[in-house]
Amino acid sequence: RFHLSCLGVVAAHALFTHAFQLQPPSSFLTTTTPPPTKFKTHLHGKVWDKLSIDEDHPSEPPAWYLMNCIVGSELQLLAQAKHTTRDLPAVEKLVVPTGRHLRSHGKRNVVEIKVAYPGYVFCKMRLTVETYEALQGLPLCRSWMAGTVNLK
């Protein structure tokens, strides 16, 4: 039978871990490398300037624009957008079209609120630098679809 004493197991473990420990090359020891940083994916500077977007003329009526977000976070983006644009007169209306559906759950009825267009928040506004940058900077806003809806 094969028996190892407690001391033998500890010695074997120490020998095994020391034998297979990899040492970095000496060049790594002499230079200092900064810790890895997280990369940022946003554009530096104003997005408005980089995309060369034209402002809506003040004489034109406000137009409908779509903000894209992750499906399921439309109502949170709507709340963020309303809070951000409360002092901007160019924003006339922010809407997430919803519908109520009644379903039964056992003996009781449950009203579900479903978003009609998942992933989108509708904005009726005049597009200016201030409104675009304020809404584009929201954490839940992924992208814009400018001038895609022209219905009142």
Side-chain angles (χ1 to χ4, degrees), residues 11 35 40 54 77 83 88 95 109-110 125 129 134 138-139:
K40 296 182 179 178
D54 293 329
L77 178 58
H83 179 73
L88 296 175
V95 177
N109 292 329
V110 178
M125 63 182 193
V129 177
L138 294 174

Short mmCIF file of all heavy atoms in Angstrom, two decimals, residues 11 35 40 54 77 83 88 95 109-110 125 129 134 138-139:
data_model
loop_
_atom_site.label_atom_id
_atom_site.label_comp_id
_atom_site.label_asym_id
_atom_site.label_seq_id
_atom_site.Cartn_x
_atom_site.Cartn_y
_atom_site.Cartn_z
N ALA A 11 5.20 18.66 1.36
CA ALA A 11 6.46 18.80 0.62
C ALA A 11 6.24 18.54 -0.86
O ALA A 11 6.79 19.24 -1.72
CB ALA A 11 7.50 17.85 1.19
N PRO A 35 -1.34 49.48 -15.15
CA PRO A 35 -2.42 48.49 -15.11
C PRO A 35 -3.35 48.69 -16.30
O PRO A 35 -3.47 49.79 -16.83
CB PRO A 35 -3.13 48.80 -13.79
CG PRO A 35 -2.77 50.20 -13.47
CD PRO A 35 -1.41 50.43 -14.07
N LYS A 40 -12.86 53.36 -23.64
CA LYS A 40 -14.11 54.10 -23.78
C LYS A 40 -14.51 54.09 -25.25
O LYS A 40 -13.68 54.28 -26.12
CB LYS A 40 -13.95 55.52 -23.27
CG LYS A 40 -13.66 55.56 -21.78
CD LYS A 40 -13.57 56.96 -21.28
CE LYS A 40 -13.30 56.95 -19.79
NZ LYS A 40 -13.15 58.27 -19.25
N ASP A 54 -27.66 69.47 -39.39
CA ASP A 54 -28.23 70.81 -39.53
C ASP A 54 -29.35 71.00 -38.50
O ASP A 54 -30.16 70.09 -38.28
CB ASP A 54 -28.79 71.02 -40.93
CG ASP A 54 -27.68 71.02 -41.98
OD1 ASP A 54 -26.56 71.43 -41.64
OD2 ASP A 54 -27.95 70.59 -43.12
N LEU A 77 -36.07 55.29 -20.31
CA LEU A 77 -35.51 56.33 -21.17
C LEU A 77 -36.46 57.52 -21.26
O LEU A 77 -36.01 58.67 -21.25
CB LEU A 77 -35.21 55.79 -22.57
CG LEU A 77 -34.67 56.79 -23.59
CD1 LEU A 77 -33.38 57.43 -23.10
CD2 LEU A 77 -34.47 56.14 -24.93
N HIS A 83 -36.93 64.30 -17.67
CA HIS A 83 -36.19 65.00 -16.62
C HIS A 83 -35.11 65.90 -17.22
O HIS A 83 -34.91 67.03 -16.78
CB HIS A 83 -35.57 64.00 -15.66
CG HIS A 83 -34.77 64.62 -14.57
ND1 HIS A 83 -35.37 65.28 -13.52
CD2 HIS A 83 -33.44 64.72 -14.38
CE1 HIS A 83 -34.43 65.75 -12.72
NE2 HIS A 83 -33.25 65.42 -13.21
N LEU A 88 -35.87 72.78 -21.53
CA LEU A 88 -35.58 73.07 -22.93
C LEU A 88 -36.88 73.35 -23.68
O LEU A 88 -37.71 72.45 -23.85
CB LEU A 88 -34.84 71.89 -23.59
CG LEU A 88 -33.46 71.56 -23.03
CD1 LEU A 88 -32.91 70.31 -23.69
CD2 LEU A 88 -32.50 72.72 -23.23
N VAL A 95 -42.93 60.73 -25.98
CA VAL A 95 -43.99 59.73 -25.87
C VAL A 95 -43.43 58.32 -26.10
O VAL A 95 -42.57 58.12 -26.95
CB VAL A 95 -45.09 59.99 -26.92
CG1 VAL A 95 -46.17 58.94 -26.88
CG2 VAL A 95 -45.68 61.36 -26.75
N ASN A 109 -58.06 38.98 -12.81
CA ASN A 109 -57.66 39.59 -14.07
C ASN A 109 -56.46 40.51 -13.85
O ASN A 109 -56.42 41.23 -12.86
CB ASN A 109 -58.81 40.38 -14.68
CG ASN A 109 -59.93 39.47 -15.13
OD1 ASN A 109 -59.68 38.33 -15.51
ND2 ASN A 109 -61.16 39.96 -15.08
N VAL A 110 -55.54 40.48 -14.79
CA VAL A 110 -54.33 41.29 -14.69
C VAL A 110 -54.25 42.20 -15.91
O VAL A 110 -54.46 41.75 -17.04
CB VAL A 110 -53.07 40.39 -14.63
CG1 VAL A 110 -51.80 41.22 -14.57
CG2 VAL A 110 -53.14 39.45 -13.44
N MET A 125 -40.00 67.72 -31.45
CA MET A 125 -39.15 68.84 -31.03
C MET A 125 -38.52 69.50 -32.24
O MET A 125 -38.59 69.01 -33.36
CB MET A 125 -38.06 68.33 -30.10
CG MET A 125 -37.13 67.36 -30.75
SD MET A 125 -35.92 66.78 -29.56
CE MET A 125 -34.77 66.02 -30.66
N VAL A 129 -28.61 72.06 -31.23
CA VAL A 129 -27.41 71.50 -30.60
C VAL A 129 -27.71 71.11 -29.16
O VAL A 129 -27.34 70.02 -28.71
CB VAL A 129 -26.24 72.51 -30.65
CG1 VAL A 129 -25.02 71.95 -29.94
CG2 VAL A 129 -25.90 72.88 -32.07
N ALA A 134 -28.16 66.96 -25.24
CA ALA A 134 -28.78 66.57 -23.97
C ALA A 134 -29.39 65.17 -24.05
O ALA A 134 -29.21 64.35 -23.15
CB ALA A 134 -29.85 67.58 -23.57
N LEU A 138 -27.86 60.73 -22.76
CA LEU A 138 -28.56 59.88 -21.79
C LEU A 138 -27.99 58.47 -21.83
O LEU A 138 -27.71 57.93 -22.91
CB LEU A 138 -30.06 59.86 -22.10
CG LEU A 138 -30.79 61.18 -21.91
CD1 LEU A 138 -32.23 61.05 -22.39
CD2 LEU A 138 -30.75 61.62 -20.48
N PRO A 139 -27.85 57.85 -20.67
CA PRO A 139 -27.24 56.51 -20.63
C PRO A 139 -28.01 55.44 -21.42
O PRO A 139 -27.40 54.55 -21.99
CB PRO A 139 -27.25 56.15 -19.15
CG PRO A 139 -27.43 57.42 -18.42
CD PRO A 139 -28.13 58.36 -19.34
#
